[in-house]
Amino acid sequence: MTSNTHTNTEPKAVKVFRKNGVTIEELSNGSIRASQILNNEMIVEESAGGTILNKYKLGVEGIVKINLDGKGCWEIISTNDDGYGEGSLFVENMEVVDFDGAFDLPNNIKKILKTLGYALNW
């Protein structure tokens, strides 16, 4: 007989706190997840085909995840399901040294990174 029980391997939050409006979760695997919802955030979506401006009236959630190895990701998700963006982050010595997914990081992602103490020197 086989079991259909799914084992959840997602790391659990071991410490949760708020700083400057950002919810920060320290996870059981040592990684960090931080998020913030901003209302009326203007998102600039850039691509090789041009620039598109979207104003998310109900807000947009910014999420940053950073692992112990300095690799991470960022996401922006509109709270009314009309937009989404994501990309990778690479950090060394508390500085974001590279990212992808956009020509520039969205403002809410920059705010989260600064709240976490990461330098953005580009």
Side-chain angles (χ1 to χ4, degrees), residues 15-95:
K15 184 177 178 185
V16 178
F17 56 97
R18 289 183 59 83
K19 181 178 178 183
N20 298 329
V22 175
T23 301
I24 302 167
E25 299 173 85
E26 294 178 5
L27 303 178
S28 58
N29 65 356
S31 63
I32 295 173
R33 181 188 188 276
S35 63
Q36 180 181 43
I37 295 178
L38 297 176
N39 290 321
N40 298 316
E41 177 74 357
M42 181 66 76
I43 301 297
V44 179
E45 297 176 351
E46 300 180 57
S47 67
T51 301
I52 302 168
L53 296 177
N54 290 315
K55 186 171 185 179
Y56 299 112
K57 295 178 181 162
L58 295 179
V60 62
E61 181 178 19
I63 301 169
V64 169
K65 299 175 188 173
I66 300 177
N67 298 318
L68 289 174
D69 62 2
K71 296 177 184 171
C73 64
W74 62 270
E75 293 178 273
I76 51 170
I77 305 165
S78 95
T79 56
N80 60 347
D81 294 327
D82 67 354
Y84 179 80
E86 67 179 354
S88 297
L89 290 169
F90 304 93
V91 299
E92 293 176 5
N93 302 317
M94 296 304 293
E95 179 180 358

